[in-house]
Every structure is written in structure tokens, then in C-alpha cells.
Amino acid sequence: MILSVLTFLPLLSALLIVLLPTAWQQRYKYITLLTTLVQVIISIYIYLNFADNQAGVTREQGFQFVEHRSWIGLDLGSLGRLQIDYFMGLDGLSMPFMLLTSVIMFVAALSSWEITRNLKGYFALFLLLDTAVIGVFGALDFFLFYIFYELMLLPLYFLIGMWGGVRREYAAIKFFLYTLFGSVFMLLVMIGLYFSVNDPVTGNHTFNILQMMNPNNYTDGALFSQIANQQLFGIPARLLAFIILFIAFAIKVPIVPLHTWLPDAHVEAPTPVSIILAGILLKVGGYGIMRICFGIFPDAAIHSAWWLGLIGVVSILYGALNALAQTDLKRLIAYSSVSHMGFVLLGVASVTAEGASGAMMQMVSHGFLSAMLFFLVGVLYNRVHNREIANFRGLALIMPQYTVFIMIAFFASLGLPGFSAFIAEVFSLIGAFNSQSINGLLPRWMAVGGSVGILLGAAYFLWTLQRMFFGQTRLWGGEEWRTQLTDVSVREKLALVPMAALALVLGVFPSLVFDKINTSVLEFVNHVLNK
């Protein structure tokens, strides 16, 4: 029941906001903030009560906090019965993202204080998006997963298109078309899987993701059967399905060359939406690749591992080189996200315990670090409505506390030892390096290529820090900007301090994440390798 409360509490709050009179619009912010705070409390409760070794816990195939009820049933005559379940549950691959999502949505709610237009529509869509993201991480029925996955698209389209910058319509349409392209073909694969898998209890076809992961449940001769060698367009059907699903999730990650929507969406989106995009939406892509692509098609994943590792290295290097060339601070951070998420793909492609653990830690670490960076950019932009790096010099002298926070965010993001990103990237590289000797999937030069990305990350972050914050103060807006550039407020510190603390705490005590995910990571690796 607790997962349903966590998932649908924002939806109830959104309905409340819609029903409240417009005269109460200033209260919408407090309703949203309170809702996200309650979610944080519930997520902390789930984290503390999540059994590390999964012993003595009521669960379904290793999942905890399980809720499984029949939802939609339809008699199809000779074709059997169409059965769709409300099936929710958490394991080590999904539980950390529940807590991450709750924290990021709370930070985004604090950042939303700057929104002044159409508050009813904004906060209703904000909370609808909250429900959709939480639902994606909890759903274990593919049909239910798809509903939540598609539900994310609608509020994000309007949040970017209505509250964004000058080119907001272009960015919103581009994001919508990219995501919809992947989702449409995902629907076809989902239908094919449904007619290929039988529930061992009822004998009916099923959307149950856990049943799809079991090779014994596939019908002989079905399109995606583990036994029949079905071909589509000269390609094995299972490999083609894997590629289609991978593209759908890779758009969300995003990986090169499917990343071009991200810089435009970030630059034009309001700060809270940028925080959600970088902090949560990108993790939906990484989670989908691990849970759906590798979970349901491990044979195709092994077959494609070398190419996935190569795409990861290309994303790391291409994102970092593009970040070096940027003049807009927000666009620089957007390209840094492309680079950092490349480590996720590299770690997952290695199919090692170290690589998968590093990928999980990278998604968690990048979640709150990217949110912190976009929040800090928003602080600057809200004061002077400018993000051009060349227009700022010597900010440390007039915004010392702000400078401390941005230094923490920069040093943590570039992988300085003692911070969470260092642990994440090192484990991803160890997994990639050991993959050749453990399972022979990735050559060691891929780990070397990923290491170069860390060096480039240090280059663009430190160069930006030196240009904007040190030296004699020179501002493009002159004295007017100097008076507007006040230091961080109490509300802004309330959002920044927890994220800065998490970056340090997880860097010193990574076991806070690793202990919770270890069992599921080992099961993930064994499942893929034993295909």
C-alpha cells in the first residue's frame, strides 16, 4: 500500500490544486512543497526498511513492498484472456531511484518559487509528472510501466512549451517527437512480448515483466520465443526487439547520436524542469535499459555488449568535448550530462558486478549533482537573466556563499576523490577494464577512453570556474548587475545544502547505496550471463 501512496499522492494534490479557486494560487506552491516533503519522508521510510539481503521479507521473486492486484481482464475467446495487473514492487535496482526522485522533486518544488505565470496549470502538471516518474520506477507490469512512461511526456511537453524560454515551442516539440518515436515502437515490442509469454499459473498471455524475464515462460514458435529462431527483416527477432527498446530508452539517457534534444530542452526549460530532466528523466532511460532491455533480452544484450560499450565511450568523449566548446553555462552542464551518462552505459555493457554497481551509483550521484548544478545556474539567471560565461568575472568577491556551492558541485561532478561521482566513475571503469578477463565482452581500451573523459571533465569545469569566479570582478551589466547579484537566500540554501551533503556522504560512505543494491546487482549480472 505504501508504494501506491507514494505514487498517487502527487496526483491527488494535483486534483486539489485544479479544484481550488484561482484566488488561492499562492497556496499552490505550499501544497506542492508539502506533497514532495511527505514523499521524501515516505521514501526515507522505504529506504530504512528495505532489507539488504532480502531475507524474511514478504516479496515476490526478490521484490519488496509488493502490491499485486488484477486490474483489467477481458475474455478474448479462443485467444484466451487479456490480463493486465496492477503490479508494483521494489528491488535494489529501483529503490534508490524512489528516494532520488522524491529528493529531486522537493528541490524542484523549492526552485518553482520563481514561477509567476499560470500557477494552477504549472503545479498541476508538475505533480502529474511526479506521479508518472514514481510509477515508472515501481511498475512491474509492462502495460502499467508503459502507461506511466508515456504519462511523463505530456506534462513535460507543456512545462517546457509554456514556461520555457524564447525558443520553448521548438524545444518542446523536438523533445516530444524524439520521445514519441521511441515509445511507438516500444508499444509494438510490448504487444509481441505479450503474445510470446504465458503465465505459468493461469496459462494466459501476460504483461508481467518478471515472467518475461523467465525463459521457461515463452511459447514455442512465438515471435520472441527463447527457442524458435524467428527472423524479421533478416535480423533475429529478439535482437531486433532489443535494439528497438534500447533506442527508446537511449533517447531518454540520452546517448550520442540521440542526444540532440537535450541541450535545447535544457536551455529553454525553466530551472525546475531542467532539474527534473537531468536529475530524474535521464535515469528513467538508464533504469529501462537495465530492467527491460537487459532483463528481458539478455541474449541480445550479450550479443550487443561491444557496441553498447563503444557508444558509451563515444558519449563520454563527445559530451565532454562539446562541453568544452560551450559559452552558455546551462548548455555546458547539459553536455556534461551526456558525458556522465556515458559511464552508465559503459558500466552496464561490461556485465560485471563492479560495472553495474558503478552504473547505479553514477545514476544516483549524477541525479542530485546535476540537479544542484542546474539549480545554481537558475539562481544566477533569476537575478540577471543571463547565463553567458564570458559576461561574468570575479563572482567569488560578491557572491562568496554561492561560489562555495558551485565549487562543491564542480569538484564533485569532475570526479574528485571524496565525492560520490569518483566512486561511481571508478567502479564503472573497473568493470569495463575487468570485463575482458571476466566475460570477454569489452576490450580494455574502452576503459582507457572513459578515463580520458574524466580528464576532459576536469578541464571544462575548472576552466569555467576560473573564468567566472576568480580574478577582479567584471560584469557585463556593470553596477546594475552588481546590485542584483545577491548571495544565496535561505530558501536556496535549503535546497543546496542537502545535495552538497549527499555528494560528500556518498563519497565517503558509498555503502549507503552499495549495501542496498548489491543483491539485485549480482542477480542482474548472473541473469544476463546465464541467459
Side-chain angles (χ1 to χ4, degrees):
M1 187 66 183
I2 192 169
L3 267 185
S4 294
V5 173
L6 182 63
T7 303
F8 295 106
L9 177 63
L11 183 60
L12 294 175
S13 298
L15 292 174
L16 176 62
I17 287 174
V18 170
L19 294 174
L20 285 176
T22 307
W24 291 16
Q25 62 177 349
Q26 290 303 319
R27 301 183 187 183
Y28 301 158
K29 298 177 180 181
Y30 295 99
I31 293 172
T32 303
L33 189 63
L34 179 62
T35 301
T36 55
L37 180 59
V38 172
Q39 280 188 297
V40 171
I41 294 170
I42 295 173
S43 298
I44 292 173
Y45 172 84
I46 290 174
Y47 172 85
L48 295 175
N49 288 273
F50 187 86
D52 298 353
N53 57 8
Q54 300 183 347
V57 179
T58 302
R59 62 194 185 276
E60 206 166 315
Q61 296 188 18
F63 286 79
Q64 303 175 46
F65 303 99
V66 171
E67 299 175 26
H68 196 172
R69 302 177 185 87
S70 178
W71 180 29
I72 301 173
L74 182 64
D75 191 357
L76 300 178
S78 61
L79 294 176
R81 180 176 175 80
L82 174 65
Q83 183 64 47
I84 302 171
D85 295 336
Y86 177 78
F87 187 14
M88 303 279 283
L90 298 177
D91 68 346
L93 298 184
S94 53
M95 186 278 297
F97 297 121
M98 287 291 187
L99 182 56
L100 174 68
T101 300
S102 300
V103 172
I104 297 304
M105 294 306 293
F106 176 73
V107 172
L110 283 172
S111 181
S112 298
W113 239 250
E114 306 295 339
I115 302 296
T116 56
R117 296 184 294 109
N118 192 2
L119 298 185
K120 181 188 285 284
Y122 174 85
F123 285 106
L125 290 168
F126 181 97
L127 291 167
L128 178 62
L129 176 61
D130 193 350
T131 286
V133 176
I134 291 287
V136 163
F137 290 127
L140 294 176
D141 182 277
F142 207 157
F143 191 89
L144 184 64
F145 175 93
Y146 187 80
I147 288 175
F148 283 124
Y149 188 84
E150 286 294 277
L151 189 60
M152 293 189 300
L153 184 57
L154 183 67
L156 276 170
Y157 171 75
F158 286 110
L159 286 170
I160 296 171
M162 295 179 66
W163 287 272
V166 177
R167 299 174 71 241
R168 56 185 179 272
E169 293 89 354
Y170 167 77
I173 292 172
K174 190 174 183 179
F175 164 76
F176 189 93
L177 292 177
Y178 261 81
T179 306
L180 189 64
F181 172 80
S183 300
V184 168
F185 293 103
M186 183 195 296
L187 178 62
L188 297 177
V189 174
M190 183 180 74
I191 294 170
L193 282 167
Y194 171 78
F195 286 108
S196 300
V197 179
N198 290 329
D199 190 303
V201 177
T202 64
N204 295 322
H205 297 305
T206 180
F207 285 104
N208 189 315
I209 292 174
L210 303 186
Q211 302 296 356
M212 292 176 177
M213 293 169 64
N214 189 340
N216 298 322
N217 296 334
Y218 282 78
T219 306
D220 291 356
L223 183 62
F224 297 131
S225 171
Q226 296 278 10
I227 300 171
N229 187 26
Q230 297 286 342
Q231 299 274 325
L232 285 173
F233 311 110
I235 304 174
R238 291 181 61 81
L239 177 60
L240 183 61
F242 173 85
I243 293 171
I244 290 171
L245 289 175
F246 174 78
I247 290 173
F249 292 120
I251 290 171
K252 283 282 201 296
V253 170
I255 56 96
V256 176
L258 304 173
H259 69 288
T260 58
W261 65 268
L262 183 69
D264 292 317
H266 271 311
V267 169
E268 300 304 328
T271 299
V273 179
S274 289
I275 289 171
I276 296 169
L277 280 173
I280 305 173
L281 191 73
L282 276 56
K283 315 309 171 290
V284 171
Y287 171 77
I289 289 172
M290 295 184 73
R291 172 74 77 212
I292 305 295
C293 295
F294 277 69
I296 298 177
F297 299 106
D299 48 339
I302 292 293
H303 183 79
S304 310
W306 191 92
W307 292 103
L308 301 185
L310 177 63
I311 293 171
V313 174
V314 170
S315 295
I316 291 170
L317 298 177
Y318 180 86
L321 289 171
N322 268 276
L324 268 171
Q326 299 309 308
T327 59
D328 183 296
L329 183 58
K330 202 173 189 182
R331 189 174 283 269
L332 180 149
I333 296 169
Y335 275 109
S336 78
S337 293
V338 175
S339 180
H340 289 141
M341 291 303 292
F343 285 98
V344 174
L345 191 56
L346 182 62
V348 173
S350 72
V351 195
T352 61
E354 304 96 327
S357 297
M360 286 292 297
M361 176 64 92
Q362 177 73 338
M363 285 192 279
V364 172
S365 171
H366 180 263
F368 56 80
L369 284 176
S370 61
M372 186 177 181
L373 286 167
F374 280 111
F375 188 96
L376 287 163
V377 174
V379 169
L380 200 64
Y381 185 76
N382 288 332
R383 282 157 171 72
V384 295
H385 301 287
N386 193 288
R387 296 185 301 259
E388 286 294 318
I389 295 172
N391 292 341
F392 299 91
R393 289 289 185 276
L395 285 178
L397 296 176
I398 57 176
M399 302 176 72
Q401 295 180 47
Y402 178 86
T403 304
V404 169
F405 281 116
I406 205 130
M407 286 177 66
I408 292 172
F410 277 10
F411 283 127
S413 296
L414 63 83
L416 191 71
F419 290 100
S420 56
F422 170 76
I423 300 294
E425 291 171 358
V426 164
F427 269 68
S428 296
L429 294 176
I430 290 173
F433 190 82
N434 287 341
S435 178
Q436 187 176 65
S437 56
I438 294 175
N439 51 43
L441 293 179
L442 300 185
R444 285 176 175 158
W445 64 260
M446 289 188 180
V448 176
S451 302
V452 175
I454 297 178
L455 293 176
L456 293 173
Y460 61 73
F461 276 127
L462 293 177
W463 190 31
T464 302
L465 189 68
Q466 184 269 328
R467 284 182 291 170
M468 291 186 66
F469 293 90
F470 299 130
Q472 184 179 358
T473 302
R474 287 187 290 111
L475 304 173
W476 184 79
E479 285 302 315
E480 182 182 355
W481 276 22
R482 186 184 288 268
T483 57
Q484 292 172 344
L485 286 170
T486 55
D487 221 335
V488 287
S489 66
V490 174
R491 174 182 61 83
E492 291 161 349
K493 289 177 186 176
L494 185 62
L496 291 168
V497 169
M499 292 188 287
L502 278 171
L504 182 59
V505 169
L506 292 184
V508 178
F509 302 106
S511 58
L512 292 173
V513 173
F514 286 150
D515 286 351
K516 299 293 184 181
I517 69 173
N518 187 59
T519 301
S520 295
V521 165
L522 292 176
E523 289 177 354
F524 167 80
V525 172
N526 291 333
H527 172 73
V528 176
L529 292 178
N530 295 332
K531 57 187 184 294

